[in-house]
Amino acid sequence: RREVCAPRRPTMRPEACLSYAQRGELFSQLKSEAPTADEWAHHGGQLAVELCGAGTAVDSPEQLGAAAAGRIFHLYLPIYFWCR
């Protein structure tokens, strides 16, 4: 089964991305380095495009499907933000 994919130009809503990211276990580890909602949306949208390819417009992580959204917003991006 293929999950819904992101558009070529990410259009994710920053508030939705930040809210979704805050539900992940690694978010609390970013205390002093907490990225803005715009950063979550920008980087999350870019990863969604790269990992899912072109497809239907997606404006929130939930529309990517649980597996893809979880990997992007609860694993990949927290690790990226922590390392930078």
mmCIF file of all heavy atoms in Angstrom, residues 17-71:
data_model
loop_
_atom_site.group_PDB
_atom_site.id
_atom_site.type_symbol
_atom_site.label_atom_id
_atom_site.label_comp_id
_atom_site.label_asym_id
_atom_site.label_seq_id
_atom_site.Cartn_x
_atom_site.Cartn_y
_atom_site.Cartn_z
ATOM 1 N N CYS A 17 2.617 21.133 11.635
ATOM 2 C CA CYS A 17 3.887 20.411 11.715
ATOM 3 C C CYS A 17 4.462 20.457 13.124
ATOM 4 O O CYS A 17 4.912 19.440 13.652
ATOM 5 C CB CYS A 17 4.885 20.984 10.717
ATOM 6 S SG CYS A 17 4.408 20.703 9.015
ATOM 7 N N LEU A 18 4.450 21.631 13.734
ATOM 8 C CA LEU A 18 4.975 21.763 15.091
ATOM 9 C C LEU A 18 4.143 20.946 16.070
ATOM 10 O O LEU A 18 4.683 20.239 16.924
ATOM 11 C CB LEU A 18 5.008 23.228 15.509
ATOM 12 C CG LEU A 18 5.534 23.491 16.922
ATOM 13 C CD1 LEU A 18 6.956 22.984 17.082
ATOM 14 C CD2 LEU A 18 5.451 24.976 17.238
ATOM 15 N N SER A 19 2.838 21.017 15.943
ATOM 16 C CA SER A 19 1.957 20.260 16.825
ATOM 17 C C SER A 19 2.219 18.764 16.715
ATOM 18 O O SER A 19 2.298 18.051 17.715
ATOM 19 C CB SER A 19 0.501 20.566 16.486
ATOM 20 O OG SER A 19 -0.362 19.750 17.233
ATOM 21 N N TYR A 20 2.384 18.274 15.501
ATOM 22 C CA TYR A 20 2.653 16.849 15.291
ATOM 23 C C TYR A 20 4.018 16.481 15.867
ATOM 24 O O TYR A 20 4.171 15.458 16.528
ATOM 25 C CB TYR A 20 2.590 16.508 13.805
ATOM 26 C CG TYR A 20 2.597 15.024 13.546
ATOM 27 C CD1 TYR A 20 1.406 14.298 13.553
ATOM 28 C CD2 TYR A 20 3.776 14.342 13.311
ATOM 29 C CE1 TYR A 20 1.403 12.930 13.332
ATOM 30 C CE2 TYR A 20 3.792 12.985 13.088
ATOM 31 C CZ TYR A 20 2.603 12.282 13.106
ATOM 32 O OH TYR A 20 2.617 10.922 12.888
ATOM 33 N N ALA A 21 5.024 17.313 15.629
ATOM 34 C CA ALA A 21 6.376 17.043 16.118
ATOM 35 C C ALA A 21 6.416 16.987 17.647
ATOM 36 O O ALA A 21 7.131 16.166 18.226
ATOM 37 C CB ALA A 21 7.336 18.100 15.604
ATOM 38 N N GLN A 22 5.639 17.834 18.299
ATOM 39 C CA GLN A 22 5.632 17.888 19.759
ATOM 40 C C GLN A 22 5.118 16.599 20.377
ATOM 41 O O GLN A 22 5.395 16.323 21.541
ATOM 42 C CB GLN A 22 4.786 19.073 20.236
ATOM 43 C CG GLN A 22 5.457 20.396 19.981
ATOM 44 C CD GLN A 22 4.569 21.581 20.278
ATOM 45 O OE1 GLN A 22 3.336 21.498 20.193
ATOM 46 N NE2 GLN A 22 5.179 22.698 20.611
ATOM 47 N N ARG A 23 4.409 15.796 19.631
ATOM 48 C CA ARG A 23 3.888 14.522 20.139
ATOM 49 C C ARG A 23 4.925 13.407 20.098
ATOM 50 O O ARG A 23 4.695 12.335 20.638
ATOM 51 C CB ARG A 23 2.650 14.100 19.348
ATOM 52 C CG ARG A 23 1.470 14.998 19.624
ATOM 53 C CD ARG A 23 0.255 14.555 18.864
ATOM 54 N NE ARG A 23 0.014 15.550 17.807
ATOM 55 C CZ ARG A 23 -0.609 15.326 16.694
ATOM 56 N NH1 ARG A 23 -1.075 14.129 16.425
ATOM 57 N NH2 ARG A 23 -0.784 16.281 15.814
ATOM 58 N N GLY A 24 6.065 13.657 19.470
ATOM 59 C CA GLY A 24 7.103 12.643 19.366
ATOM 60 C C GLY A 24 7.963 12.565 20.618
ATOM 61 O O GLY A 24 8.113 13.543 21.351
ATOM 62 N N GLU A 25 8.550 11.410 20.858
ATOM 63 C CA GLU A 25 9.364 11.197 22.053
ATOM 64 C C GLU A 25 10.641 12.023 22.066
ATOM 65 O O GLU A 25 11.148 12.366 23.127
ATOM 66 C CB GLU A 25 9.707 9.717 22.183
ATOM 67 C CG GLU A 25 8.518 8.848 22.476
ATOM 68 C CD GLU A 25 8.896 7.396 22.637
ATOM 69 O OE1 GLU A 25 10.065 7.102 22.950
ATOM 70 O OE2 GLU A 25 8.019 6.553 22.446
ATOM 71 N N LEU A 26 11.199 12.341 20.908
ATOM 72 C CA LEU A 26 12.471 13.055 20.857
ATOM 73 C C LEU A 26 12.330 14.573 20.950
ATOM 74 O O LEU A 26 13.321 15.273 21.155
ATOM 75 C CB LEU A 26 13.238 12.692 19.583
ATOM 76 C CG LEU A 26 13.641 11.231 19.444
ATOM 77 C CD1 LEU A 26 14.360 11.007 18.124
ATOM 78 C CD2 LEU A 26 14.522 10.810 20.611
ATOM 79 N N PHE A 27 11.129 15.091 20.814
ATOM 80 C CA PHE A 27 10.935 16.542 20.818
ATOM 81 C C PHE A 27 11.458 17.178 22.104
ATOM 82 O O PHE A 27 12.071 18.239 22.064
ATOM 83 C CB PHE A 27 9.464 16.902 20.609
ATOM 84 C CG PHE A 27 9.243 18.376 20.468
ATOM 85 C CD1 PHE A 27 9.388 18.993 19.238
ATOM 86 C CD2 PHE A 27 8.911 19.161 21.561
ATOM 87 C CE1 PHE A 27 9.210 20.365 19.088
ATOM 88 C CE2 PHE A 27 8.731 20.531 21.436
ATOM 89 C CZ PHE A 27 8.883 21.131 20.197
ATOM 90 N N SER A 28 11.237 16.534 23.227
ATOM 91 C CA SER A 28 11.661 17.104 24.511
ATOM 92 C C SER A 28 13.176 17.243 24.617
ATOM 93 O O SER A 28 13.672 18.016 25.424
ATOM 94 C CB SER A 28 11.132 16.255 25.663
ATOM 95 O OG SER A 28 11.710 14.962 25.611
ATOM 96 N N GLN A 29 13.906 16.528 23.788
ATOM 97 C CA GLN A 29 15.366 16.612 23.813
ATOM 98 C C GLN A 29 15.880 17.870 23.102
ATOM 99 O O GLN A 29 17.064 18.165 23.151
ATOM 100 C CB GLN A 29 15.983 15.368 23.160
ATOM 101 C CG GLN A 29 15.563 14.068 23.816
ATOM 102 C CD GLN A 29 15.923 14.019 25.291
ATOM 103 O OE1 GLN A 29 17.037 14.343 25.681
ATOM 104 N NE2 GLN A 29 14.963 13.622 26.130
ATOM 105 N N LEU A 30 15.010 18.591 22.439
ATOM 106 C CA LEU A 30 15.394 19.785 21.691
ATOM 107 C C LEU A 30 15.167 21.068 22.489
ATOM 108 O O LEU A 30 15.089 22.136 21.911
ATOM 109 C CB LEU A 30 14.592 19.865 20.385
ATOM 110 C CG LEU A 30 14.748 18.713 19.415
ATOM 111 C CD1 LEU A 30 13.725 18.841 18.286
ATOM 112 C CD2 LEU A 30 16.156 18.670 18.866
ATOM 113 N N LYS A 31 15.072 20.988 23.771
ATOM 114 C CA LYS A 31 14.692 22.116 24.625
ATOM 115 C C LYS A 31 15.337 23.435 24.233
ATOM 116 O O LYS A 31 14.663 24.383 23.882
ATOM 117 C CB LYS A 31 15.006 21.787 26.074
ATOM 118 C CG LYS A 31 14.155 20.690 26.630
ATOM 119 C CD LYS A 31 14.557 20.328 28.026
ATOM 120 C CE LYS A 31 13.787 19.102 28.482
ATOM 121 N NZ LYS A 31 14.265 18.588 29.730
ATOM 122 N N SER A 32 16.631 23.532 24.310
ATOM 123 C CA SER A 32 17.287 24.803 24.031
ATOM 124 C C SER A 32 17.466 25.055 22.535
ATOM 125 O O SER A 32 17.730 26.170 22.117
ATOM 126 C CB SER A 32 18.647 24.866 24.722
ATOM 127 O OG SER A 32 19.497 23.875 24.192
ATOM 128 N N GLU A 33 17.321 24.033 21.741
ATOM 129 C CA GLU A 33 17.517 24.142 20.297
ATOM 130 C C GLU A 33 16.205 24.012 19.532
ATOM 131 O O GLU A 33 16.218 23.660 18.354
ATOM 132 C CB GLU A 33 18.483 23.035 19.817
ATOM 133 C CG GLU A 33 19.822 23.042 20.511
ATOM 134 C CD GLU A 33 20.623 24.298 20.238
ATOM 135 O OE1 GLU A 33 20.563 24.812 19.098
ATOM 136 O OE2 GLU A 33 21.292 24.780 21.153
ATOM 137 N N ALA A 34 15.107 24.261 20.195
ATOM 138 C CA ALA A 34 13.806 24.042 19.567
ATOM 139 C C ALA A 34 13.645 24.896 18.305
ATOM 140 O O ALA A 34 13.722 26.120 18.354
ATOM 141 C CB ALA A 34 12.689 24.353 20.543
ATOM 142 N N PRO A 35 13.453 24.243 17.167
ATOM 143 C CA PRO A 35 13.245 24.974 15.915
ATOM 144 C C PRO A 35 11.857 25.615 15.869
ATOM 145 O O PRO A 35 10.945 25.218 16.590
ATOM 146 C CB PRO A 35 13.380 23.903 14.838
ATOM 147 C CG PRO A 35 13.299 22.602 15.533
ATOM 148 C CD PRO A 35 13.517 22.818 16.986
ATOM 149 N N THR A 36 11.714 26.592 14.999
ATOM 150 C CA THR A 36 10.424 27.264 14.831
ATOM 151 C C THR A 36 9.456 26.377 14.060
ATOM 152 O O THR A 36 9.863 25.416 13.395
ATOM 153 C CB THR A 36 10.598 28.579 14.065
ATOM 154 O OG1 THR A 36 11.016 28.267 12.730
ATOM 155 C CG2 THR A 36 11.608 29.493 14.736
ATOM 156 N N ALA A 37 8.195 26.747 14.113
ATOM 157 C CA ALA A 37 7.177 26.023 13.354
ATOM 158 C C ALA A 37 7.471 26.084 11.859
ATOM 159 O O ALA A 37 7.269 25.100 11.138
ATOM 160 C CB ALA A 37 5.793 26.603 13.656
ATOM 161 N N ASP A 38 7.973 27.225 11.399
ATOM 162 C CA ASP A 38 8.313 27.362 9.980
ATOM 163 C C ASP A 38 9.426 26.404 9.575
ATOM 164 O O ASP A 38 9.411 25.858 8.473
ATOM 165 C CB ASP A 38 8.726 28.798 9.651
ATOM 166 C CG ASP A 38 7.542 29.758 9.665
ATOM 167 O OD1 ASP A 38 6.404 29.309 9.400
ATOM 168 O OD2 ASP A 38 7.759 30.948 9.942
ATOM 169 N N GLU A 39 10.395 26.186 10.462
ATOM 170 C CA GLU A 39 11.473 25.245 10.158
ATOM 171 C C GLU A 39 10.951 23.818 10.067
ATOM 172 O O GLU A 39 11.358 23.056 9.188
ATOM 173 C CB GLU A 39 12.570 25.323 11.218
ATOM 174 C CG GLU A 39 13.393 26.581 11.150
ATOM 175 C CD GLU A 39 14.421 26.620 12.248
ATOM 176 O OE1 GLU A 39 14.036 26.813 13.424
ATOM 177 O OE2 GLU A 39 15.611 26.443 11.921
ATOM 178 N N TRP A 40 10.052 23.448 10.974
ATOM 179 C CA TRP A 40 9.458 22.113 10.921
ATOM 180 C C TRP A 40 8.715 21.924 9.604
ATOM 181 O O TRP A 40 8.829 20.885 8.954
ATOM 182 C CB TRP A 40 8.497 21.881 12.090
ATOM 183 C CG TRP A 40 9.181 21.630 13.386
ATOM 184 C CD1 TRP A 40 9.399 22.535 14.382
ATOM 185 C CD2 TRP A 40 9.756 20.406 13.834
ATOM 186 N NE1 TRP A 40 10.075 21.934 15.416
ATOM 187 C CE2 TRP A 40 10.304 20.629 15.109
ATOM 188 C CE3 TRP A 40 9.854 19.129 13.286
ATOM 189 C CZ2 TRP A 40 10.942 19.633 15.850
ATOM 190 C CZ3 TRP A 40 10.491 18.136 14.017
ATOM 191 C CH2 TRP A 40 11.033 18.389 15.277
ATOM 192 N N ALA A 41 7.952 22.931 9.195
ATOM 193 C CA ALA A 41 7.172 22.836 7.960
ATOM 194 C C ALA A 41 8.082 22.781 6.734
ATOM 195 O O ALA A 41 7.862 21.971 5.826
ATOM 196 C CB ALA A 41 6.211 24.018 7.850
ATOM 197 N N HIS A 42 9.087 23.631 6.702
ATOM 198 C CA HIS A 42 9.988 23.662 5.543
ATOM 199 C C HIS A 42 10.731 22.338 5.382
ATOM 200 O O HIS A 42 10.676 21.709 4.324
ATOM 201 C CB HIS A 42 10.985 24.810 5.685
ATOM 202 C CG HIS A 42 12.046 24.792 4.633
ATOM 203 N ND1 HIS A 42 11.793 25.166 3.325
ATOM 204 C CD2 HIS A 42 13.348 24.410 4.676
ATOM 205 C CE1 HIS A 42 12.900 25.013 2.617
ATOM 206 N NE2 HIS A 42 13.855 24.556 3.425
ATOM 207 N N HIS A 43 11.423 21.921 6.429
ATOM 208 C CA HIS A 43 12.219 20.697 6.334
ATOM 209 C C HIS A 43 11.332 19.453 6.224
ATOM 210 O O HIS A 43 11.664 18.513 5.495
ATOM 211 C CB HIS A 43 13.164 20.582 7.526
ATOM 212 C CG HIS A 43 14.231 21.626 7.529
ATOM 213 N ND1 HIS A 43 15.232 21.683 6.585
ATOM 214 C CD2 HIS A 43 14.457 22.663 8.363
ATOM 215 C CE1 HIS A 43 16.029 22.699 6.831
ATOM 216 N NE2 HIS A 43 15.570 23.328 7.909
ATOM 217 N N GLY A 44 10.217 19.453 6.924
ATOM 218 C CA GLY A 44 9.296 18.325 6.826
ATOM 219 C C GLY A 44 8.709 18.195 5.436
ATOM 220 O O GLY A 44 8.587 17.100 4.892
ATOM 221 N N GLY A 45 8.351 19.325 4.840
ATOM 222 C CA GLY A 45 7.829 19.306 3.476
ATOM 223 C C GLY A 45 8.860 18.822 2.478
ATOM 224 O O GLY A 45 8.554 18.032 1.578
ATOM 225 N N GLN A 46 10.108 19.273 2.638
ATOM 226 C CA GLN A 46 11.176 18.835 1.736
ATOM 227 C C GLN A 46 11.408 17.334 1.849
ATOM 228 O O GLN A 46 11.560 16.641 0.842
ATOM 229 C CB GLN A 46 12.472 19.596 2.034
ATOM 230 C CG GLN A 46 12.414 21.065 1.707
ATOM 231 C CD GLN A 46 12.278 21.312 0.207
ATOM 232 O OE1 GLN A 46 12.700 20.522 -0.614
ATOM 233 N NE2 GLN A 46 11.663 22.414 -0.141
ATOM 234 N N LEU A 47 11.453 16.824 3.067
ATOM 235 C CA LEU A 47 11.642 15.379 3.254
ATOM 236 C C LEU A 47 10.462 14.594 2.690
ATOM 237 O O LEU A 47 10.655 13.528 2.099
ATOM 238 C CB LEU A 47 11.817 15.047 4.737
ATOM 239 C CG LEU A 47 13.210 15.220 5.288
ATOM 240 C CD1 LEU A 47 13.210 15.017 6.799
ATOM 241 C CD2 LEU A 47 14.184 14.254 4.637
ATOM 242 N N ALA A 48 9.260 15.097 2.876
ATOM 243 C CA ALA A 48 8.081 14.407 2.341
ATOM 244 C C ALA A 48 8.167 14.291 0.821
ATOM 245 O O ALA A 48 7.839 13.256 0.250
ATOM 246 C CB ALA A 48 6.807 15.137 2.750
ATOM 247 N N VAL A 49 8.628 15.340 0.167
ATOM 248 C CA VAL A 49 8.788 15.308 -1.287
ATOM 249 C C VAL A 49 9.826 14.264 -1.675
ATOM 250 O O VAL A 49 9.607 13.446 -2.564
ATOM 251 C CB VAL A 49 9.183 16.699 -1.834
ATOM 252 C CG1 VAL A 49 9.621 16.612 -3.277
ATOM 253 C CG2 VAL A 49 8.019 17.659 -1.699
ATOM 254 N N GLU A 50 10.964 14.278 -1.002
ATOM 255 C CA GLU A 50 12.045 13.359 -1.336
ATOM 256 C C GLU A 50 11.681 11.899 -1.046
ATOM 257 O O GLU A 50 12.029 11.008 -1.806
ATOM 258 C CB GLU A 50 13.322 13.731 -0.574
ATOM 259 C CG GLU A 50 13.930 15.025 -1.022
ATOM 260 C CD GLU A 50 14.354 15.014 -2.481
ATOM 261 O OE1 GLU A 50 14.888 13.987 -2.952
ATOM 262 O OE2 GLU A 50 14.131 16.034 -3.161
ATOM 263 N N LEU A 51 11.006 11.666 0.071
ATOM 264 C CA LEU A 51 10.714 10.296 0.477
ATOM 265 C C LEU A 51 9.467 9.719 -0.177
ATOM 266 O O LEU A 51 9.378 8.511 -0.372
ATOM 267 C CB LEU A 51 10.580 10.216 2.003
ATOM 268 C CG LEU A 51 11.843 10.579 2.781
ATOM 269 C CD1 LEU A 51 11.554 10.577 4.273
ATOM 270 C CD2 LEU A 51 12.967 9.609 2.456
ATOM 271 N N CYS A 52 8.498 10.583 -0.493
ATOM 272 C CA CYS A 52 7.234 10.109 -1.061
ATOM 273 C C CYS A 52 7.107 10.397 -2.550
ATOM 274 O O CYS A 52 6.229 9.855 -3.199
ATOM 275 C CB CYS A 52 6.051 10.754 -0.338
ATOM 276 S SG CYS A 52 5.910 10.282 1.371
ATOM 277 N N GLY A 53 7.918 11.293 -3.080
ATOM 278 C CA GLY A 53 7.785 11.660 -4.483
ATOM 279 C C GLY A 53 6.670 12.668 -4.682
ATOM 280 O O GLY A 53 6.155 13.255 -3.741
ATOM 281 N N ALA A 54 6.311 12.881 -5.923
ATOM 282 C CA ALA A 54 5.252 13.846 -6.249
ATOM 283 C C ALA A 54 3.891 13.224 -5.971
ATOM 284 O O ALA A 54 3.731 12.023 -6.009
ATOM 285 C CB ALA A 54 5.354 14.266 -7.697
ATOM 286 N N GLY A 55 2.921 14.065 -5.731
ATOM 287 C CA GLY A 55 1.580 13.528 -5.514
ATOM 288 C C GLY A 55 0.618 14.591 -5.050
ATOM 289 O O GLY A 55 0.793 15.767 -5.294
ATOM 290 N N THR A 56 -0.394 14.164 -4.360
ATOM 291 C CA THR A 56 -1.455 15.030 -3.878
ATOM 292 C C THR A 56 -0.926 16.051 -2.884
ATOM 293 O O THR A 56 -0.055 15.755 -2.099
ATOM 294 C CB THR A 56 -2.527 14.166 -3.176
ATOM 295 O OG1 THR A 56 -2.927 13.140 -4.065
ATOM 296 C CG2 THR A 56 -3.718 14.998 -2.786
ATOM 297 N N ALA A 57 -1.462 17.244 -2.916
ATOM 298 C CA ALA A 57 -1.058 18.294 -1.979
ATOM 299 C C ALA A 57 -1.342 17.847 -0.550
ATOM 300 O O ALA A 57 -2.401 17.328 -0.242
ATOM 301 C CB ALA A 57 -1.802 19.583 -2.287
ATOM 302 N N VAL A 58 -0.371 18.050 0.307
ATOM 303 C CA VAL A 58 -0.472 17.666 1.708
ATOM 304 C C VAL A 58 -0.207 18.905 2.544
ATOM 305 O O VAL A 58 0.790 19.579 2.343
ATOM 306 C CB VAL A 58 0.573 16.568 2.032
ATOM 307 C CG1 VAL A 58 0.601 16.270 3.506
ATOM 308 C CG2 VAL A 58 0.284 15.311 1.232
ATOM 309 N N ASP A 59 -1.105 19.226 3.472
ATOM 310 C CA ASP A 59 -0.869 20.410 4.287
ATOM 311 C C ASP A 59 -0.637 20.095 5.755
ATOM 312 O O ASP A 59 -0.420 20.989 6.559
ATOM 313 C CB ASP A 59 -1.978 21.442 4.112
ATOM 314 C CG ASP A 59 -3.293 21.026 4.739
ATOM 315 O OD1 ASP A 59 -3.409 19.878 5.183
ATOM 316 O OD2 ASP A 59 -4.201 21.864 4.789
ATOM 317 N N SER A 60 -0.662 18.809 6.124
ATOM 318 C CA SER A 60 -0.371 18.426 7.502
ATOM 319 C C SER A 60 0.308 17.061 7.524
ATOM 320 O O SER A 60 0.107 16.251 6.613
ATOM 321 C CB SER A 60 -1.651 18.394 8.340
ATOM 322 O OG SER A 60 -2.448 17.311 7.959
ATOM 323 N N PRO A 61 1.102 16.792 8.545
ATOM 324 C CA PRO A 61 1.793 15.509 8.625
ATOM 325 C C PRO A 61 0.849 14.303 8.609
ATOM 326 O O PRO A 61 1.177 13.267 8.029
ATOM 327 C CB PRO A 61 2.537 15.597 9.954
ATOM 328 C CG PRO A 61 2.766 17.048 10.153
ATOM 329 C CD PRO A 61 1.530 17.706 9.598
ATOM 330 N N GLU A 62 -0.306 14.438 9.238
ATOM 331 C CA GLU A 62 -1.249 13.330 9.297
ATOM 332 C C GLU A 62 -1.634 12.823 7.906
ATOM 333 O O GLU A 62 -1.926 11.650 7.718
ATOM 334 C CB GLU A 62 -2.510 13.716 10.068
ATOM 335 C CG GLU A 62 -2.304 13.860 11.560
ATOM 336 C CD GLU A 62 -1.833 15.244 11.985
ATOM 337 O OE1 GLU A 62 -1.509 16.087 11.118
ATOM 338 O OE2 GLU A 62 -1.791 15.475 13.201
ATOM 339 N N GLN A 63 -1.627 13.704 6.917
ATOM 340 C CA GLN A 63 -2.016 13.316 5.563
ATOM 341 C C GLN A 63 -0.948 12.483 4.866
ATOM 342 O O GLN A 63 -1.220 11.904 3.826
ATOM 343 C CB GLN A 63 -2.345 14.550 4.735
ATOM 344 C CG GLN A 63 -3.603 15.248 5.208
ATOM 345 C CD GLN A 63 -3.874 16.519 4.437
ATOM 346 O OE1 GLN A 63 -2.953 17.245 4.082
ATOM 347 N NE2 GLN A 63 -5.139 16.788 4.180
ATOM 348 N N LEU A 64 0.245 12.420 5.428
ATOM 349 C CA LEU A 64 1.301 11.585 4.860
ATOM 350 C C LEU A 64 1.103 10.115 5.200
ATOM 351 O O LEU A 64 1.675 9.249 4.560
ATOM 352 C CB LEU A 64 2.672 12.011 5.400
ATOM 353 C CG LEU A 64 3.175 13.366 4.972
ATOM 354 C CD1 LEU A 64 4.421 13.723 5.765
ATOM 355 C CD2 LEU A 64 3.464 13.374 3.483
ATOM 356 N N GLY A 65 0.331 9.850 6.231
ATOM 357 C CA GLY A 65 0.191 8.497 6.749
ATOM 358 C C GLY A 65 1.032 8.387 8.007
ATOM 359 O O GLY A 65 2.035 9.095 8.167
ATOM 360 N N ALA A 66 0.640 7.505 8.897
ATOM 361 C CA ALA A 66 1.302 7.397 10.198
ATOM 362 C C ALA A 66 2.778 7.027 10.081
ATOM 363 O O ALA A 66 3.618 7.593 10.783
ATOM 364 C CB ALA A 66 0.576 6.381 11.069
ATOM 365 N N ALA A 67 3.106 6.105 9.215
ATOM 366 C CA ALA A 67 4.496 5.646 9.112
ATOM 367 C C ALA A 67 5.417 6.745 8.592
ATOM 368 O O ALA A 67 6.456 7.039 9.191
ATOM 369 C CB ALA A 67 4.583 4.411 8.219
ATOM 370 N N ALA A 68 5.052 7.383 7.489
ATOM 371 C CA ALA A 68 5.900 8.424 6.900
ATOM 372 C C ALA A 68 5.983 9.645 7.812
ATOM 373 O O ALA A 68 7.069 10.187 8.044
ATOM 374 C CB ALA A 68 5.379 8.827 5.528
ATOM 375 N N ALA A 69 4.860 10.079 8.349
ATOM 376 C CA ALA A 69 4.865 11.250 9.233
ATOM 377 C C ALA A 69 5.683 10.979 10.487
ATOM 378 O O ALA A 69 6.442 11.837 10.936
ATOM 379 C CB ALA A 69 3.434 11.635 9.604
ATOM 380 N N GLY A 70 5.547 9.801 11.044
ATOM 381 C CA GLY A 70 6.319 9.437 12.230
ATOM 382 C C GLY A 70 7.809 9.440 11.964
ATOM 383 O O GLY A 70 8.595 9.959 12.761
ATOM 384 N N ARG A 71 8.211 8.850 10.846
ATOM 385 C CA ARG A 71 9.638 8.830 10.515
ATOM 386 C C ARG A 71 10.172 10.244 10.340
ATOM 387 O O ARG A 71 11.234 10.586 10.854
ATOM 388 C CB ARG A 71 9.878 8.032 9.228
ATOM 389 C CG ARG A 71 9.863 6.541 9.422
ATOM 390 C CD ARG A 71 10.400 5.803 8.208
ATOM 391 N NE ARG A 71 9.862 6.239 6.936
ATOM 392 C CZ ARG A 71 8.773 5.761 6.349
ATOM 393 N NH1 ARG A 71 8.090 4.797 6.940
ATOM 394 N NH2 ARG A 71 8.368 6.213 5.189
#
